[in-house]
Amino acid sequence: MTIRTRLTERLRIRHPVLSAPMAWAAGGRLAAAVSNAGGLGLIGGGYGDRDWLTREWAQAGNAVIGCGFITWSLDRKPELLQVALANAPRAVMLSFGDPRPYAEAIRSASAALICQVQTVRQAREALEAGADILVAQGSEAGGHSGTRATLPLVPEIVDLCAAEAPETLVLAAGGIADGRGLAASLMLGADGVLVGSRFWAAEEALVHPNALSRAVQASGDETLRSSVVDVVRGVDWPPPYAIRTLRNGFTERWHGQEEALAREGDAVRQAYADAAARGDMDTAAAIVGEAVGLIREIRPAAAILEAMVADAETWLVGGAGLVRPG
Amino acid sequence: MTIRTRLTERLRIRHPVLSAPMAWAAGGRLAAAVSNAGGLGLIGGGYGDRDWLTREWAQAGNAVIGCGFITWSLDRKPELLQVALANAPRAVMLSFGDPRPYAEAIRSASAALICQVQTVRQAREALEAGADILVAQGSEAGGHSGTRATLPLVPEIVDLCAAEAPETLVLAAGGIADGRGLAASLMLGADGVLVGSRFWAAEEALVHPNALSRAVQASGDETLRSSVVDVVRGVDWPPPYAIRTLRNGFTERWHGQEEALAREGDAVRQAYADAAARGDMDTAAAIVGEAVGLIREIRPAAAILEAMVADAETWLVGGAGLVRPG
């Protein structure tokens, strides 16, 4: 069995599930594993490292995958879009910026243009850019997000598309880590889901084992959306975006003290980078969303995807069974 | 047709929908209308005005309803619980505080004890208090909330209950305003939903018409979770709780300047109270959640409830139809 939606038709995939293009974590092996299992895997173009991107595309082998970029970062190195397009991506996803400068090139390469948005206003702009697919992302997501929540954001954007661009698909993102989240998203009117944290905790993801160990023990109560991690990494994110991570000693020390942290300078930055490299998770914060509380083990991406879809099928069939003669 | 869940069985109601006990807005007429239409309506015990509470219970007539309290406020006037219990409520809901001092009295009155929680940690405490029903409330809700989001919070609390208290029911709250939200909540494993904003925009709610006019035109993008409205009303909410409202000139002026606002003193407080009374919505902020973007008209509560359930039934049946031979 499987779940058929407009997304599976449009992207010619078996399951209505995309893996998020998580910067540094979503390399070619993860993307290929998701695609080979019937979803669509997206490499994380992230902050624009050409060598990393080229290497990870090679790691994906012959799998049909896609790629995602942080748009404001791509603005600084727009030539990286060609690195992705040269690999014949099934889709290119743009998040956190104006997609219009890139829309024509993506369409000309026969890739689906996916625009991730955090508000209804941004959704309107993405429709003007000619997006094929909108990802409505809630602030419960891991990594960067806006301030709206997935559950009410998705149907509002679904309504917008139904009224103004009925051929445009909508995916839900943020807080979705299992079959329940997939089934719920379909009930909200989404055509599928984009999943981050659950695939971050896949065997194929490029994540330090110590970060994974923390994540599988954590409740969603233990995450924090803050600018601390961006400030200490020297990554110049524009407001209102912030990054959700697990709380740790470092985020507790500096959250609300970001300006003081910025004044600490290179020493604390280098110490943070070293901590991340060696897996000191009391300093380097694991980049996951609230759905971390639903993640209890590290598994291969294919097993994650298969369980998610099978569970969603069970919930969907069971849901219809709740409807009874009154 | 209707939707049967453990909640409809347990509370002996027709539809798995409760209206939220919104302070001042959820009076006896609204609660009765929801109950008479097959849900369970809850009067908002709010900040503890005995005359208001007595009057609103009388307004509900013979309808079987329930009542909700802000627990930290009830701590200051615990005798108000007896006002509610004297009216034979089907359920009493406690939010934002320690429910344990009240649990025995509620159970002895044969009312269901509903504990609204904002974190998994609070859910554990509510189970220790012997809650019959947990409401897992996300921060997209209107009025007061914590910081977690509904979509990932609900299944994590469902898993907790399944492991430790399988007879305890779980409702979803925050961001749910139509049949899609109800159907999605059931897919997350919830036994039903608690709905605020959508019933705030019912004809029977005690809300100024100018506030309603703003709400039906607003997108969910236009809400703000802040302490401004609590500070100016002189309501002493403990952190980490804050109140979500529509943004307006007043919240834009003072958000992030709460300490300065507190120093403004009685003049600004009185001006705010006057603005609320006369419906000056550039000053007084409408208290709604992100789901306001799904609300386009003011309707009778019965019509809202019937449409919500009928649409959810359609989505649930349609969801099963997405499952196909692979």
Side-chain angles (χ1 to χ4, degrees), chain A residues 267-284:
Chain A
V268 68
R269 276 195 203 179
Q270 189 60 51
Y272 192 91
D274 292 346
R278 71 173 181 273
D280 168 9
M281 306 313 296
D282 293 326
T283 298

Side-chain angles (χ1 to χ4, degrees), chain A residues 1-4 14 119-121 140 147-152 155-156 158-159 174-176 180-181 183-184 186-189 219-221 290-291 293-294 313 315-317 319-320 322-326, chain B residues 1-4 14 119-121 140 147-152 155-156 158-159 174-176 180-181 183-184 186-189 219-221 290-291 293-294 313 315-317 319-320 322-326:
Chain A
M1 305 296 281
T2 187
I3 298 170
R4 300 292 287 255
R14 182 169 155 77
T119 63
V120 176
R121 186 180 58 74
E140 54 264 64
T147 60
R148 293 209 52 188
T150 306
L151 189 65
E156 194 174 350
V158 165
D159 287 344
I176 302 159
R180 293 175 291 191
L186 297 173
M187 292 298 97
L188 296 175
S219 159
D221 290 1
E290 289 190 37
L294 304 172
E313 290 168 5
W315 281 97
L316 290 169
V317 172
L322 299 175
V323 180
R324 307 278 179 79
Chain B
M1 307 293 283
T2 189
I3 298 171
R4 301 293 286 255
R14 181 170 156 77
T119 63
V120 176
R121 185 180 59 74
E140 55 264 65
T147 60
R148 292 209 52 187
T150 305
L151 190 65
E156 192 173 351
V158 165
D159 287 344
I176 301 159
R180 293 173 291 190
L186 297 173
M187 292 298 96
L188 296 175
S219 160
D221 289 3
E290 289 189 37
L294 304 172
E313 290 168 6
W315 280 98
L316 290 169
V317 172
L322 298 175
V323 181
R324 307 277 179 79

Side-chain angles (χ1 to χ4, degrees), chain B residues 229-251:
Chain B
V229 171
D230 289 330
V231 169
V232 76
R233 297 188 305 177
V235 188
D236 194 22
W237 274 83
Y241 303 114
I243 180 171
R244 187 175 295 281
T245 67
L246 285 185
R247 297 171 186 269
N248 66 7
F250 192 86
T251 65

Side-chain angles (χ1 to χ4, degrees), chain B residues 15-31:
Chain B
H15 303 306
V17 178
L18 276 56
S19 61
M22 300 168 280
W24 308 121
R29 282 187 65 223
L30 176 63

Side-chain angles (χ1 to χ4, degrees), chain A residues 117-120 123 134 136 152-162 170:
Chain A
V117 299
Q118 286 79 30
T119 63
V120 176
L134 302 186
L153 179 62
V154 169
E156 194 174 350
I157 289 179
V158 165
D159 287 344
L160 172 70
C161 289
V170 179

Side-chain angles (χ1 to χ4, degrees), chain A residues 20 38 52 87 89-90 95 110 118 135 138 158 163 186 207 211 241 264 267 275 297 303-304 323:
Chain A
W52 187 93
N87 286 284
R90 179 67 49 93
S95 310
S110 298
Q118 286 79 30
V135 176
V158 165
L186 297 173
V207 177
Y241 303 114
E264 291 280 313
E297 56 181 347
I304 291 168
V323 180

